[in-house]
Amino acid sequence: MMNTHDFLPVIKIVLSDKRVIITAIIVFLFMDLCAYVVRYRKKPKTPKAKKTIAAPAPAPAENADEGGGDDGAGGGE
């Protein structure tokens, strides 16, 4: 049976192997991608402010003496 002093050099060799390091990096990146997908929330679209066209200036007031208006007095009596 191996004791701790015999086991430590084996752990050092295994962890320093480039295949183990590359595999650990790939697994870490894959888990990070999975966590991003799970947490992803699509941002709601914000409606763009529509440009309002300025209303044309009101026509100049015409003379009230020209019979087109209703002055509440009835029909010319």
Side-chain angles (χ1 to χ4, degrees):
M1 191 187 289
M2 294 180 77
N3 60 14
T4 308
H5 294 291
D6 296 335
F7 196 59
L8 288 177
V10 175
I11 291 175
K12 182 180 176 187
I13 293 170
V14 169
L15 292 179
S16 64
D17 186 26
K18 62 181 167 183
R19 291 175 293 192
V20 173
I21 295 171
I22 291 172
T23 304
I25 291 172
I26 290 173
V27 168
F28 176 77
L29 291 176
F30 180 73
M31 290 176 66
D32 194 39
L33 176 68
C34 291
Y36 174 76
V37 169
V38 168
R39 288 177 302 184
Y40 180 76
R41 297 281 185 254
K42 193 169 187 178
K43 294 179 183 174
K45 289 186 178 180
T46 55
K48 293 183 180 179
K50 294 182 180 179
K51 292 183 180 179
T52 55
I53 300 174
E62 294 186 17
N63 216 350
D65 295 338
E66 298 177 10
D70 184 18
D71 58 354
E77 291 178 23

